Amino acid sequence: VRAMPRGAAVILRDYGLPHREGFAAQLKSIAEARGLKLIIGADIDLARRIGADGGHVPRWFSPVAPFPEGMIVTAACHSMEELQRAKAMGADLALLSPAFTTFSHPGDGAMGAAGFKALAASSPLPALALGGVDERNARHLAGPNVTGFAAIGAFLD
């Protein structure tokens, strides 16, 4: 987080983290000082309590209440049906995956650049590429309705 460029966003997706609220509050402090956005996964109440910039909706999570006005809402999407569900629930942005094969989800079928770009182009939401995206292949994902990329492994040693 300390190395990310100003204006980037961090999504806290470690759902089983012990002391998650304390960690999220520390992360919020670092993000704020660095000019980053902080988005909390699958916990609207926690996002609200720490003053996070947004909330993230994994495919297995169904919010019971709407997100607060002005909060950025991202959603994990893997198909057109999930993109439409995210749009209907009020998401602002889709993390569309897996673009490429990933270490974290090796069994999930990757879309590849052409498949990703085709689905993103027809998405009702702007799409961020996720899944196996790195400095070598990110440029192959540029296309209509693609607003950037998200990564996990690209930031790890």
Side-chain angles (χ1 to χ4, degrees):
V1 173
R2 294 185 197 280
M4 293 178 72
R6 250 182 137 56
V10 176
I11 301 176
L12 178 58
R13 296 188 342 160
D14 194 337
Y15 307 109
L17 187 66
H19 311 291
R20 189 173 192 229
E21 185 162 350
F23 180 79
Q26 285 181 318
L27 195 54
K28 172 64 179 164
S29 176
I30 295 167
E32 209 166 61
R34 299 260 322 121
L36 306 173
K37 303 286 186 194
L38 177 61
I39 299 171
I40 303 295
D43 195 334
I44 298 168
D45 291 334
L46 175 58
R48 195 179 287 126
R49 280 193 308 275
I50 68 160
D53 301 290
H56 176 70
V57 181
R59 70 162 48 155
W60 50 264
F61 180 69
S62 293
V64 292
F67 284 87
E69 187 70 31
M71 195 174 264
I72 301 164
V73 180
T74 63
C77 298
H78 309 83
S79 66
M80 181 53 74
E81 294 77 21
E82 290 180 8
L83 288 162
Q84 290 167 339
R85 173 185 176 254
K87 175 69 174 175
M89 121 187 123
D92 301 300
L93 188 62
L95 274 73
L96 186 55
S97 72
F100 301 109
T101 303
T102 72
F103 290 113
S104 60
H105 298 85
D108 290 354
M111 293 179 227
F116 172 84
K117 290 192 293 188
L119 188 54
S122 61
S123 170
L125 293 170
L128 289 174
L130 176 65
V133 180
D134 61 28
E135 69 280 357
R136 293 179 309 274
N137 61 27
R139 63 186 156 88
H140 299 295
L141 300 172
N145 210 28
V146 178
T147 60
F149 67 92
I152 300 169
F155 295 106
L156 304 175
D157 271 340

